[in-house]
Amino acid sequence: MKTNKFLFAAIILGAFALAMAGVYVVKKNQFAQADFTLTSPNGPVKLSSLRGELVILYFGFLSCPDACPTTLTRIAQALKKLPPAKADKVRPVFVNLDPERDSIQRLKEYADFFHPRILPLTSDIENLKKVTHHFGAAFQKIQLPSAMDYTIDHTTDLVFVRPNGEVHSTLKETATTDDIVAKINEIL
Amino acid sequence: MIALLFASTLLAQVTVSNSSIRLVPPVSQNSVGLMDIRNASKTDLRLVRVESDISKRVELHLMKKVDGYMTMRPVPHVELRKGQVTKLDGTYHVMFLGLKRPLKEYEKHPLTLVLSNGEKIQTEAQVLKHE
């Protein structure tokens, strides 16, 4: 009887282990083909729907005083330096990391100030964590002894995604306007 | 009297140049102030506070990259070493929190820098696009 109990426990454990392994494999596969739905000013947008354009992803937030406006200004200037037909094939995306404070309407006003082609996207924290992880970016909310209450520490790489959806490469936040133009010309 | 004279000599020896405020989208509630502060005196000093009417609060912040993350933290003061120019160039910067109204390019705003010796220095910062 005792042996039977052990056998039963072993079978249950084995089945559980197999199930976990299965979940892991499925998760891994899902991740490989990951697509994400985020909120744009015009409603939900799947990142896969941006295929056909060279996407430049930048992750930031509206209260970010220096790094974000500097990078968005450089992206906007890079677009202005390109022939219009080429600039129309580039889609800079500003992924918001502070959904608690930043509404999509305010993000649209913010992005439009730099360039009308910059598409702001936002989502809930859980989804944003998945998106940033997928593209090698990261962020964390940090409480501050400041009137700001909190800030968002975040990575500042620009992620260049080919029109077919594959990540091409990244540039550091120190990249100049000309560096961004050169990278676009390398891809398109 | 001699002490006062000495103090007033020190006062004239801290000067501010290239003061600017970053032009931000009207929807932004925060902006940054940048400037170069020359401490030509023979004493190390500290910038302890900046006063301005453009925002509800003014703080001193330090932005730097730590472990791949761009971080920003308030700092109690900025060191102004004797005989040196300290650049508030975005790494250290003045942080304007809660702008009272949207900034306009090229408009100028008075700022008052308060030093650790109690001295107050006036400067005028122009609103500029920073690249």
Side-chain angles (χ1 to χ4, degrees), chain B residues 72-85:
Chain B
M72 191 179 67
R73 303 287 183 268
V75 290
H77 57 254
V78 177
E79 299 287 348
L80 306 174
R81 301 277 178 216
K82 61 184 175 188
Q84 289 186 15
V85 176

Side-chain angles (χ1 to χ4, degrees), chain A residues 47-64:
Chain A
L47 286 188
S48 59
S49 72
L50 301 176
R51 286 190 190 152
E53 298 178 312
L54 188 180
V55 172
I56 307 173
L57 291 168
Y58 183 69
F59 301 87
F61 62 113
L62 217 149
S63 319
C64 164

Side-chain angles (χ1 to χ4, degrees), chain A residues 173-187:
Chain A
E173 78 286 348
T174 47
T176 62
T177 298
D178 287 340
D179 294 335
I180 297 168
V181 170
K183 182 67 81 181
I184 292 168
N185 284 331
E186 197 183 316
I187 301 170

Side-chain angles (χ1 to χ4, degrees), chain B residues 37-103:
Chain B
I37 307 170
R38 176 182 291 277
N39 178 4
S41 78
K42 292 189 164 55
T43 318
D44 289 340
L45 292 166
R46 286 172 169 179
L47 172 65
V48 294
R49 195 169 75 245
V50 174
E51 298 168 348
S52 161
D53 284 335
I54 67 167
S55 60
K56 290 180 197 157
R57 293 284 296 269
V58 186
E59 297 179 359
L60 297 170
H61 282 207
L62 170 63
M63 186 176 78
K64 65 175 177 181
K65 220 165 172 187
V66 180
D67 298 331
Y69 288 85
M70 193 60 79
T71 69
M72 191 179 67
R73 303 287 183 268
V75 290
H77 57 254
V78 177
E79 299 287 348
L80 306 174
R81 301 277 178 216
K82 61 184 175 188
Q84 289 186 15
V85 176
T86 302
K87 285 181 174 288
L88 306 192
D89 57 1
T91 307
Y92 280 104
H93 57 267
V94 182
M95 188 77 190
F96 301 103
L97 295 164
L99 292 170
K100 293 177 185 169
R101 60 178 185 79
L103 298 170

Side-chain angles (χ1 to χ4, degrees), chain B residues 100-117:
Chain B
K100 293 177 185 169
R101 60 178 185 79
L103 298 170
K104 291 194 183 111
E105 195 172 8
Y106 303 126
E107 67 186 1
K108 289 180 175 176
H109 295 282
L111 304 179
T112 303
L113 279 62
V114 183
L115 305 184
S116 48
N117 62 1

